[in-house]
Amino acid sequence: MRHRNWDNFHEDLVEQYQVHSTREIHPRPRQILVDHVETHSGMQFEYVYRPLGAAAVFVLPITSDGQVALIRQYRHPLRREIIEIPAGSVEPGEDIFECAKRELLEEVGGTAEEWHPLPAFFPQPAFTGAIFYPFLALGVTLGEPQLEETEFITLQPTPLPEVYRMLDAGEILDGNSVIALYQARPLLVQRGLL
């Protein structure tokens, strides 16, 4: 299961900087590198980044009765909880769609009757080469989450119209969730769900 834009993420690489050296400052799976680079004009500096190859999925789960399985999750850099949709990292060698199904099951105990891949995107290309793959999951049945020890997640089922009111009011602060919600809106309208 793929969206037609997914092929856009595998174009030929272009090097604008000359890389003199690379060092790893954090290992995989969340690898962070520092390149000592030089521009065409001779300026040299260090560039800190996550390399190409990392990927994550985001799932907008909607139950048959029109509830969105939002989650409230603690995010350490923010020192607070924010509202998001279920998401997680794609493991090395893992199929993207299988990862989406796994994350839905782990974070909200969910399974879905119908899946729709949405356009993928680079979340923050100045820092990371990660690609994020959102999905719309319909006919979701919720169950018992299977959270990782480091996850602090609370399920927050919310009626679909209220979620889009929150989106339009700027109350959903997670950018990846915002993108997935905007991408799913036309299909939800087309299906008569919004």
Side-chain angles (χ1 to χ4, degrees):
M1 175 170 294
R2 300 173 53 81
H3 188 276
R4 63 186 173 276
N5 97 317
W6 291 9
D7 292 331
N8 297 338
F9 294 87
H10 303 287
E11 296 178 359
D12 292 336
L13 301 177
V14 176
E15 289 285 348
Q16 294 288 342
Y17 298 144
Q18 180 181 358
V19 179
H20 293 291
S21 66
T22 300
R23 72 180 192 281
E24 182 180 76
I25 60 174
H26 195 277
R28 295 178 189 269
R30 288 190 167 80
Q31 185 181 35
I32 299 176
L33 303 177
V34 179
D35 283 353
H36 181 83
V37 299
E38 184 175 341
T39 68
H40 66 282
S41 66
M43 179 182 167
Q44 294 187 24
F45 62 97
E46 288 191 333
Y47 204 112
V48 179
Y49 66 101
R50 287 187 70 197
L52 282 168
V57 297
F58 292 79
V59 181
L60 175 57
I62 303 174
T63 64
S64 297
D65 64 351
Q67 298 287 311
V68 178
L70 293 178
I71 59 174
R72 182 174 288 280
Q73 182 162 221
Y74 174 73
R75 292 300 187 184
H76 186 69
L78 306 177
R79 304 300 200 272
R80 65 182 281 194
E81 292 181 337
I82 61 172
I83 294 171
E84 304 178 4
I85 61 174
S89 296
V90 179
E91 301 296 333
E94 185 178 25
D95 178 77
I96 293 165
F97 179 50
E98 292 302 315
C99 178
K101 292 192 293 187
R102 176 179 56 78
E103 286 297 334
L104 180 63
L105 183 63
E106 286 179 6
E107 295 199 353
V108 297
T111 58
E113 295 174 4
E114 186 178 341
W115 289 86
H116 298 273
L118 300 171
F121 58 94
F122 291 119
Q124 192 181 15
F127 169 70
T128 179
I131 303 169
F132 285 2
Y133 297 91
F135 288 85
L136 171 62
L138 299 173
V140 171
T141 302
L142 300 174
E144 191 64 35
Q146 303 165 14
L147 301 178
E148 296 173 17
E149 197 172 317
T150 59
E151 292 179 314
F152 296 95
I153 294 175
T154 305
L155 178 61
Q156 187 172 319
T158 308
L160 186 58
E162 172 62 9
V163 170
Y164 277 89
R165 185 209 61 77
M166 294 166 63
L167 174 70
D168 292 338
E171 296 172 13
I172 297 176
L173 305 178
D174 173 57
N176 305 311
S177 298
V178 167
I179 290 170
L181 284 161
Y182 275 117
Q183 289 177 335
R185 182 181 253 161
L187 181 57
L188 294 171
V189 169
Q190 177 187 13
R191 298 286 290 270
L193 298 171
L194 257 183

